[in-house]
Amino acid sequence: MRTTKADVILHPQRMAIIRALGSQRRTPRELLADLPELSQASLYRHLSTLEQSGFVEVVEERRRRGAVERTYALGSGGVITAAELAEASRDDHFRYFASFASSLMGQYDRYLERDEIDLERDGVGFREHVLHLSDAELRALLAELRAVLAARSHHEPSPDRSPRLIATVTMPADAPAKETR
């Protein structure tokens, strides 16, 4: 099986690293503090894979106690192109979506493990909406959503800001085509 950029990014532990980086620069030590489920060896192996694929990059190196400490940030070369997705098989697409959904379930599980949860206070929700849209209306809606999210994606961490995971899935809501006999 060939490894694509989608395979790289949709690994649950690598998705967790990407989320932990967000819009911040982080050292491996800081990432390990945020991701206690990862061993140091696993973190370095996943960082290497993400770096080779362009999803993360080293933005600073400094000497610390005789070793080089690297600082990582999200990279600019980790874009999965439409052409790469078009080459994927149906099984590939299902695997990509299953990895994505599995990562969301893992995040929700970690949320539920907190000592105290308050869905309303924490802004937790999930719902489905079926909208009747033309292709042009769908493209306009997606552009509006991207603009709304992009306008807030550069907010720096602060005491009054909590990291929020917002995931979207867009797909046709109709039944599969029936085979003709």
Side-chain angles (χ1 to χ4, degrees):
M1 179 182 355
R2 65 187 167 85
T3 301
T4 65
K5 284 185 178 179
D7 290 318
V8 170
I9 195 173
L10 290 175
H11 185 283
Q13 291 177 329
R14 289 190 284 265
M15 286 183 84
I17 292 167
I18 289 170
R19 269 194 304 277
L21 283 170
S23 61
Q24 304 175 62
R25 296 169 169 225
R26 310 293 299 276
T27 65
R29 185 179 17 195
E30 292 167 329
L31 289 168
L32 283 169
D34 287 345
L35 303 168
E37 67 275 12
L38 284 178
S39 69
Q40 185 174 357
S42 289
L43 175 69
Y44 280 108
R45 186 174 56 254
H46 290 306
L47 280 171
S48 175
T49 300
L50 289 166
E51 185 180 1
Q52 290 170 11
S53 299
F55 286 106
V56 301
E57 59 191 21
V58 176
V59 294
E60 182 182 344
E61 290 184 332
R62 66 176 181 207
R63 283 272 202 228
R64 184 176 170 86
R65 295 186 191 141
V68 175
E69 180 182 64
R70 293 180 170 175
T71 301
Y72 293 87
L74 292 180
S76 58
V79 175
I80 300 170
T81 66
E84 290 168 321
L85 286 176
E87 292 177 9
S89 70
R90 288 174 190 230
D91 287 343
D92 288 338
H93 285 291
F94 186 81
R95 209 166 21 86
Y96 301 158
F97 187 79
S99 295
F100 172 78
S102 172
S103 175
L104 286 178
M105 291 187 323
Q107 283 290 107
Y108 195 66
D109 184 48
R110 282 188 285 284
Y111 168 73
L112 293 175
E113 289 175 359
R114 291 180 178 186
D115 291 336
E116 181 183 323
I117 64 169
D118 182 330
L119 299 178
E120 187 174 341
R121 179 200 65 215
D122 297 336
V124 175
F126 40 92
R127 57 193 58 80
E128 291 182 1
H129 302 276
V130 176
L131 305 174
H132 296 271
L133 303 169
S134 69
D135 290 347
E137 290 167 333
L138 175 62
R139 283 190 298 277
L141 173 63
L142 294 175
E144 290 168 21
L145 289 173
R146 281 190 291 270
V148 166
L149 295 172
R152 291 157 180 83
S153 67
H154 301 293
H155 287 184
E156 293 293 326
S158 69
D160 63 327
R161 288 188 176 138
S162 298
R164 309 287 180 176
L165 174 64
I166 298 175
T168 60
V169 175
T170 306
M171 69 177 102
D174 56 0
K178 295 187 180 195
E179 292 183 28
T180 56
R181 294 185 177 185

